[in-house]
Amino acid sequence: MVLLTLTLSITLLRCFVRLRLEARALTLSDYLVWAGYVFTLAFVICQGIALNAARTHPLVDATYTDSVVYLKAVYASCFFFDFGLFLPKASITAFYWWLIPNVFRNMRLLLWVTTTYLVLAAVGAVFVDIFICYPVEYNWSLDYEKQGQSIWNSWTDFWINWTLNFSADVLRMTTSNQLMTENMLTIW
């Protein structure tokens, strides 16, 4: 909760600087940060609902529960988690689109590659969450066998989403490093 409050404070401060000190309108980057914050807040709320349900319906073997509320909250939180991770990455990428002039063709090409990969990785993460367990109702089924196939118990989903998030961060950091190198060379 402390980190969520800190994030809200920083985001509000960012908007204060943009609106009051710079006297400019909010940019796409600012709106994407706010959207990321809202999804992160929704993730925390879903986790709170799941933890509350787990107190009244404890997990058996760390994989099975008899609470549909718990299972649906965990299922919904997977999507909020993905959007909460990818929207801030999109915000930074939108800032780079504003920052890098059109004359830097190589940087713009790298930015196109980064943006395309980021969108595809986000869509891929959501599709994996939707389609890793078919039919979708198995995600909140009270049947022990069906719960074993749910998104929450899927190592495949975990590794695919982790790889997509990590690789998107590496590509985004490559863009940042390239941007700093280009700027350093023009300064010298």
Side-chain angles (χ1 to χ4, degrees):
M1 201 59 163
V2 172
L3 292 177
L4 199 60
T5 305
L6 180 64
T7 305
L8 176 62
S9 301
I10 291 170
T11 306
L12 285 171
L13 188 60
R14 173 186 174 141
C15 289
F16 174 78
V17 168
R18 180 88 64 222
L19 295 171
R20 298 289 182 189
L21 299 181
E22 293 179 351
R24 293 188 317 164
L26 295 178
T27 63
L28 175 62
S29 179
D30 298 319
Y31 289 117
L32 289 171
V33 165
W34 275 109
Y37 178 79
V38 168
F39 278 103
T40 303
L41 180 63
F43 170 75
V44 170
I45 290 169
C46 280
Q47 290 299 304
I49 292 169
L51 287 173
N52 190 39
R55 279 194 290 169
T56 56
H57 300 275
L59 296 176
V60 178
D61 299 333
T63 58
Y64 177 77
T65 182
D66 62 350
S67 171
V68 174
V69 172
Y70 173 85
L71 294 169
K72 286 186 176 182
V74 167
Y75 181 69
S77 72
C78 292
F79 297 100
F80 294 134
F81 180 79
D82 287 341
F83 284 111
L85 282 178
F86 278 106
L87 285 172
K89 293 173 190 171
S91 172
I92 293 170
T93 306
F95 173 72
Y96 291 157
W97 277 106
W98 173 81
L99 184 66
I100 299 170
N102 287 332
V103 295
F104 291 111
R105 292 189 184 267
N106 290 341
M107 281 300 300
R108 282 291 184 148
L109 179 61
L110 181 58
L111 202 50
W112 273 110
V113 170
T114 302
T115 303
T116 302
Y117 185 79
L118 184 63
V119 168
L120 292 175
V123 169
V126 170
F127 278 10
V128 167
D129 288 349
I130 293 171
F131 298 116
I132 196 80
C133 177
Y134 187 80
V136 176
E137 297 84 31
Y138 281 13
N139 284 296
W140 52 83
S141 172
L142 293 179
D143 184 309
Y144 185 78
E145 295 291 324
K146 293 175 182 174
Q147 271 189 35
Q149 299 173 28
S150 70
I151 187 174
W152 195 249
N153 293 315
S154 172
W155 279 102
T156 305
D157 176 70
F158 171 80
W159 284 112
I160 290 172
N161 282 343
W162 184 88
T163 303
L164 290 172
N165 275 298
F166 184 76
S167 60
D169 279 335
V170 168
L171 186 58
R172 191 187 46 75
M173 289 303 297
T174 302
T175 305
S176 301
N177 292 340
Q178 187 68 25
L179 175 64
M180 290 178 10
T181 304
E182 290 281 333
N183 282 341
M184 290 299 188
L185 291 177
T186 55
I187 292 172
W188 295 103

